[in-house]
């Protein structure tokens, strides 16, 4: 396969961008190899960004990336930020996985799951995953030790995904990680000394708060509105707390679904640079955009020259809970520290899993799967919103203010005085699992909320039934009278 890929790589020089390559049958005859070998070679070129495969049409030479290497700024500021540890008050370290377990554990039989964060089996690319894993296991060296930072081809694929067509991120600036949670944990421990403050969006992902507590960090909230975090509040929080790390989800934020607006993006980076702080960009939902999302904004990392942004992403959400392959992109001393922490923690991500990920993203089925997920998530979002509006109890007490065009959940404000744990317990008795809003806040919340996920249910009919059960729980007195 490697020899055929090298030959095709050389042959591509004779084709113009967008020009179609010979059909697979012609390549089989010319090079006297099997159809499987041709498919794998084309998949390899696709992961390198040299070829685009179109199901039912064939393979085409891709548009060339910018020939000039991206500009790199001065990362020397990181040496101060990573080393100048002030004397912080002791912060008790506590490992509380309760809020995380609530989204990971399967509900009891017969209970509809509105609390989870993964696709149902019918939406996972299980056939493509199985085929990718089988091919990966036969790759030469598949069971040998991988490079500590990850397989070069997979690092290059992540670099293109993160940096965009301008090549803002180099493969040498990417670490392959065991999923997004592992990457976030490594980032906080690498960038923030124990006892220090770390700024987080409010509300935010409970798994991030659990990581911070386990590392002995003080979480300081920065409020989020429909356009993402507010830059003026971020500036104040940086100055007041002395924090040198801010963790955010600029795209389809969990749980609000907010997208950081175009005018706020440079302001956020400017505030961080002026404070000598890192921005940890948790880009968990980029591959969960809905079919009506339109063009997505580039990553914050794509516009960063000075190593301010540490980017985290993963393949897990859009594939399977067990495809725990992700990436961290960073540069300068921060990259070296992150690489060292990963080695100490886990040595490396198992090579067969990395090879399987590489096979998956290079296969024609990958683009088909992403289109199918985008269409289905839009359908489910609309179905849940319609069901909430239709049921008299949820229409009165649990209506979303914002329908996101990406992600897998709705964030619902509840009437003041609602007892979230009581509502969650009543909903579970009625046969539907929901996520109370309190665990999403690093400090006292201003009002009660719940988060409903439309990804885990089996289909639209189950979403409708789950909302009906939630309405029954609300009718049973889980909200204040008159709400």
């Amino acid at each position: 396969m490697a020899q055929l890929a090298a030959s095709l790589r050389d042959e591509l020089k004779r084709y113009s961008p967008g020009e179609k390559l010979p059909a697979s049958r012609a390549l089989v005859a010319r090079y006297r190899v099997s159809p499987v070998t041709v498919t794998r070679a084309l998949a390899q070129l696709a992961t390198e960004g040299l070829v685009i495969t179109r199901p039912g049409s064939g393979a085409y030479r891709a548009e060339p990336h910018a020939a000039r290497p991206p500009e790199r700024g001065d990362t020397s500021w990181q040496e101060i930020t990573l080393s100048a540890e002030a004397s912080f008050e002791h912060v008790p370290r506590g490992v509380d996985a309760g809020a995380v377990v609530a989204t990971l554990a399967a509900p009891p039989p017969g209970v509809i799951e509105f609390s989870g964060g993964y696709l149902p089996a019918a939406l996972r690319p299980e056939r493509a995953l199985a085929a990718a894993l089988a091919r990966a296991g036969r790759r030469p060296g598949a069971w040998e030790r991988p490079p500590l930072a990850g397989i070069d081809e997979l690092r290059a694929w992540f670099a293109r995904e993160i940096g965009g067509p301008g090549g803002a991120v180099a493969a040498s600036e990417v670490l392959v990680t065991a999923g997004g949670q592992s990457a976030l944990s490594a980032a906080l421990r690498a960038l923030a000394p124990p006892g220090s403050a770390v700024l987080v969006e409010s509300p935010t992902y409970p798994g991030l708060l659990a990581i911070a507590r386990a590392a002995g960090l003080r979480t300081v909230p920065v409020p989020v509105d429909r356009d993402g975090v507010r830059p003026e509040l971020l500036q104040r929080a940086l100055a007041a707390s002395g924090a040198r790390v801010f963790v955010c989800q600029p795209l389809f934020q969990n749980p609000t679904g907010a997208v950081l607006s175009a005018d706020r993006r440079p302001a956020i980076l400017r505030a961080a640079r002026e404070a000598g702080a890192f921005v940890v960009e948790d880009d968990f939902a980029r591959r969960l955009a809905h079919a009506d999302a339109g063009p997505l904004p580039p990553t914050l990392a794509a516009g960063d020259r000075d190593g301010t942004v540490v980017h985290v992403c993963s393949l897990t959400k859009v594939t399977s809970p067990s495809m725990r392959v992700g990436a961290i992109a960073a540069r300068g001393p921060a990259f070296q520290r992150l690489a060292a922490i990963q080695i100490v923690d886990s040595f490396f991500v198992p090579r067969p899993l990395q090879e399987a990920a590489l096979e998956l993203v290079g296969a024609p089925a990958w683009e088909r799967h992403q289109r199918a997920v985008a269409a289905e998530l839009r359908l489910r979002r609309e179905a849940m919103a319609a069901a909430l509006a239709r049921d008299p109890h949820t229409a009165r007490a649990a209506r979303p203010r914002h329908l996101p065009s990406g992600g897998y959940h709705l964030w619902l404000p509840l009437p003041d005085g609602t007892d979230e744990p009581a509502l969650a317990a009543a909903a579970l008795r009625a046969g539907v699992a929901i996520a109370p809003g309190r665990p999403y806040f690093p400090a006292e919340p201003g009002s009660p909320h719940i988060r409903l996920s439309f990804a885990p249910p089996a289909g639209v009919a189950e979403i409708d039934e789950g909302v009906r059960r939630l309405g029954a729980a609300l009718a049973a007195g889980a909200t204040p009278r008159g709400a």
Side-chain angles (χ1 to χ4, degrees):
M1 189 277 289
Q3 185 176 356
L4 176 58
S7 298
L8 293 177
R9 200 178 290 115
D10 186 63
E11 184 177 332
L12 278 174
K13 298 173 185 176
R14 302 198 297 271
Y15 290 81
S16 301
E19 187 176 352
K20 187 176 181 180
L21 275 65
S24 295
R25 189 178 303 167
L27 294 176
V28 167
R30 181 190 307 174
Y31 290 100
R32 297 184 180 180
V33 293
S34 71
V36 171
T37 300
V38 169
T39 300
R40 291 174 61 191
L42 289 174
Q44 175 63 45
L45 297 184
T47 63
E48 295 173 12
L50 300 175
V51 163
I52 295 174
T53 57
R54 297 172 184 163
S57 177
Y60 300 77
R61 180 178 172 180
E63 294 290 337
H65 294 299
R68 187 178 65 180
E71 288 188 38
R72 294 290 182 262
D74 181 6
T75 61
S76 59
W77 64 272
Q78 292 185 2
E79 297 182 43
I80 300 172
T81 297
L82 292 171
S83 303
E85 300 181 6
S87 177
F88 297 107
E89 294 181 11
H90 174 67
V91 177
R93 299 199 331 171
V95 183
D96 180 4
V100 182
V101 169
T103 65
L104 293 177
V111 173
I112 295 173
E113 184 180 6
F114 281 175
S115 56
Y118 295 112
L119 300 177
L123 263 183
R124 298 174 203 152
E126 293 191 350
R127 290 180 61 184
L129 282 167
L133 192 60
R135 293 194 301 270
R138 295 192 295 269
R139 280 189 169 208
W143 298 93
E144 298 294 333
R145 286 173 292 182
L148 296 179
I151 295 173
D152 290 343
E153 297 90 340
L154 188 56
R155 295 173 73 191
W157 182 84
F158 273 118
R160 289 191 297 275
E161 292 283 299
I162 298 165
V169 174
S172 59
E173 297 167 338
V174 173
L175 291 169
V176 177
T177 67
Q181 185 76 359
S182 172
L184 283 174
S185 180
L188 285 195
R189 289 191 296 111
L191 306 177
S196 66
V198 57
L199 304 186
V200 299
E201 295 169 317
S202 181
T204 191
Y205 163 54
L208 170 63
L209 301 178
I211 290 171
R213 293 188 195 104
L217 302 173
R218 293 183 293 117
T219 53
V220 177
V222 185
V224 170
D225 62 21
R226 186 167 176 170
D227 292 322
V229 72
R230 294 167 54 186
E232 74 279 9
L233 296 183
L234 176 63
Q235 281 185 307
R236 291 182 202 170
L238 286 166
S241 67
R244 294 297 176 261
V245 177
F246 168 50
V247 187
C248 64
Q249 295 175 329
L251 188 63
F252 310 130
Q253 196 256 1
N254 182 9
T256 66
V259 176
L260 186 62
S261 63
D263 62 315
R264 291 186 182 184
R265 293 164 64 90
I268 295 299
L269 293 182
R270 185 165 55 249
R273 290 190 188 106
E274 290 173 356
F278 291 98
V279 174
V280 177
E281 179 184 23
D282 180 9
D283 199 27
F284 80 104
R286 185 164 294 270
R287 296 176 186 87
L288 298 175
H290 302 171
D292 58 349
L296 300 182
T299 65
L300 293 180
D304 171 45
R305 295 175 57 249
D306 302 317
T308 299
V309 178
V310 173
H311 182 96
V312 171
C313 61
S314 170
L315 293 174
T316 305
K317 291 290 186 188
V318 75
T319 56
S320 161
S322 290
M323 176 51 81
R324 304 213 61 79
V325 175
I328 295 181
R331 62 174 62 113
F335 178 87
Q336 303 303 325
R337 183 172 291 187
L338 284 161
I341 281 180
Q342 171 147 307
I343 292 170
V344 170
D345 276 358
S346 56
F347 295 168
F348 45 75
V349 177
R351 183 159 193 155
L353 200 56
Q354 292 191 57
E355 298 280 8
L358 196 57
E359 288 279 358
L360 178 67
V361 299
W366 177 240
E367 289 187 10
R368 291 198 301 270
H369 169 64
Q370 291 187 99
R371 289 194 298 270
V373 169
E376 182 66 19
L377 288 180
R378 176 188 180 182
L379 177 67
R380 288 163 175 254
R381 179 200 72 202
E382 295 297 328
M384 178 171 277
L388 289 167
R390 191 166 54 243
D391 183 273
H393 305 290
T394 58
R396 186 174 67 249
R399 290 281 299 276
R401 294 197 182 106
H402 167 58
L403 292 184
S405 57
Y408 51 84
H409 52 263
L410 299 182
W411 183 238
L412 280 60
L414 300 172
D416 289 341
T418 300
D419 187 330
E420 291 177 359
L423 174 57
L428 194 60
R429 289 194 298 272
V432 59
I434 64 174
R438 180 63 186 88
Y440 292 81
F441 289 90
E444 294 81 3
S447 59
H449 289 78
I450 56 173
R451 194 195 77 160
L452 302 183
S453 174
F454 46 79
V460 168
E462 194 165 276
I463 290 174
D464 288 343
E465 175 60 19
V467 170
R468 188 197 67 77
R469 295 180 186 183
L470 174 59
L474 290 165
T479 54
R481 290 186 180 275

